[in-house]
Amino acid sequence: MSKISESKSTLSHHGTAYDEDLDNDEIVNIKGFWIFRSKLGLAKRVFEKHPETTTKFCLKSEFAKETYLTALLDLIDMINMLPQQSLFEAELKEAENTILDLEAAGFKLDWLKRKLEEIRVTKKKAKNRTTRMRELDRKIQKHLEELSVLQEEMKKEQFEAMCDKPEYYLDSLCLNEVTCDSSEPITK
């Protein structure tokens, strides 16, 4: 892999939107793109890992080139910094639209589109898993309630079974006759 070269500039970007965030950030050139030094590490990684990214880039304006590359780097930062499950569908759609705009300017971003699709699939799996877990929890709660009702019924039956036990007294048992208070036997 070829080493990515950079050069420094004392160019001033007064009056741009970047002044608010990066007042004293030095501007450097990497592969013909002027960017802030704070973005240099990420830009180098992109160009080294995906050298095809700018092979068909067609814009000539330095400002447009800087803007598009900064948009790409900001998009990559957003994707890397946020937990993938926390990205909303609207954010994924906006990222997809940004990629389409960047591709229209000549960036080759198949690698980034694949990453975005991986995020979308992972997010969908997580959503399906969450839905399934809620469904299982609801079923468990229903079965626990049914189990509680059955346990109460069992306790009631056990109590009634204890109360239904006949009390046998040895002196009141006879095989053929039952005696009362009177001395006459009663035949069954």
Side-chain angles (χ1 to χ4, degrees), residues 1-185:
M1 236 177 238
S2 65
K3 179 143 172 60
I4 308 257
S5 63
E6 65 181 83
S7 60
K8 296 180 186 179
S9 171
T10 56
L11 292 175
S12 171
H13 279 266
H14 295 291
T16 67
Y18 305 113
D19 288 344
E20 297 168 11
D21 296 330
L22 306 165
D23 286 334
N24 296 318
D25 202 1
E26 187 178 22
I27 305 294
V28 293
N29 185 308
I30 181 168
K31 289 191 71 162
F33 292 89
W34 290 98
I35 60 171
F36 290 104
R37 180 168 289 287
S38 61
K39 298 282 187 180
L40 182 61
L42 180 57
K44 279 183 176 181
R45 285 192 305 276
V46 168
F47 291 142
E48 287 171 358
K49 193 168 184 179
H50 307 285
E52 75 282 3
T53 299
T54 60
T55 56
K56 295 190 179 193
F57 192 77
C58 57
L59 299 178
K60 303 294 180 212
S61 163
E62 291 299 321
F63 179 75
K65 288 169 71 174
E66 176 188 336
T67 302
Y68 275 83
L69 184 60
T70 300
L72 173 61
L73 298 176
D74 287 347
L75 177 61
I76 293 169
D77 274 342
M78 183 209 49
I79 291 170
N80 287 335
M81 292 173 93
L82 294 174
Q84 293 176 359
Q85 287 79 8
S86 73
L87 291 172
F88 293 105
E89 191 59 37
E91 290 171 316
L92 291 173
K93 185 64 178 170
E94 183 61 28
E96 193 174 82
N97 289 338
T98 300
I99 289 172
L100 291 174
D101 290 343
L102 293 169
E103 285 181 325
F107 281 109
K108 290 184 74 178
L109 300 174
D110 292 339
W111 57 273
L112 190 54
K113 287 194 295 191
R114 282 190 302 273
K115 178 65 174 172
L116 207 57
E117 186 56 30
E118 287 174 19
I119 292 170
R120 186 171 267 121
V121 167
T122 301
K123 187 170 174 58
K124 185 175 181 179
K125 283 181 182 178
K127 182 179 177 184
N128 290 343
R129 188 172 293 112
T130 300
T131 301
R132 177 71 176 139
M133 289 185 329
R134 280 190 198 129
E135 179 184 320
L136 289 172
D137 187 54
R138 187 183 47 78
K139 285 180 179 181
I140 289 169
Q141 291 304 318
K142 180 181 175 186
H143 287 301
L144 287 174
E145 290 170 8
E146 290 173 357
L147 182 60
S148 178
V149 168
L150 289 173
Q151 286 175 330
E152 287 301 315
E153 285 181 28
M154 179 62 127
K155 286 179 185 176
K156 183 179 175 184
E157 288 297 323
Q158 288 172 336
F159 179 75
E160 288 178 6
M162 286 178 26
C163 291
D164 287 347
K165 284 186 182 176
E167 294 184 21
Y168 298 105
Y169 296 104
L170 192 55
D171 56 338
S172 66
L173 293 175
C174 294
L175 292 175
N176 291 329
E177 39 184 70
V178 177
T179 56
C180 294
D181 288 337
S182 64
S183 55
E184 296 179 20

